[in-house]
Amino acid sequence: MNIIFFLIGCSVLIALFFLAAFFWASKNGQHEDTYTPSVRILFDDEPQEKAEETIKK
């Protein structure tokens, strides 16, 4: 029975840790730009010739 109380306490501490990490990420601007990732796939990549020139330099 004691192990159940120990596991419940550990799970509450882990949940509080993840909640604090979520609030920290939100406070530091993690979720501010929601538009750019959705349109990034629409942008063309660098042409292959230009990429090869960059690698040769």
Side-chain angles (χ1 to χ4, degrees), residues 42-56:
L42 301 175
F43 298 136
D44 288 334
D45 290 337
E46 189 174 288
Q48 188 65 25
E49 296 170 2
K50 198 175 212 182
E52 289 174 1
E53 290 175 7
T54 307
I55 293 172
K56 289 179 183 177

Side-chain angles (χ1 to χ4, degrees), residues 2-52:
N2 288 336
I3 193 70
I4 292 175
F5 293 132
F6 175 73
L7 291 175
I8 290 172
C10 287
S11 65
V12 168
L13 287 175
I14 291 171
L16 289 174
F17 171 75
F18 282 111
L19 183 65
F22 173 76
F23 284 131
W24 174 78
S26 295
K27 186 182 233 183
N28 287 332
Q30 180 75 25
H31 306 289
E32 285 181 2
D33 186 16
T34 58
Y35 179 71
T36 303
S38 64
V39 296
R40 187 176 299 156
I41 195 168
L42 301 175
F43 298 136
D44 288 334
D45 290 337
E46 189 174 288
Q48 188 65 25
E49 296 170 2
K50 198 175 212 182
E52 289 174 1

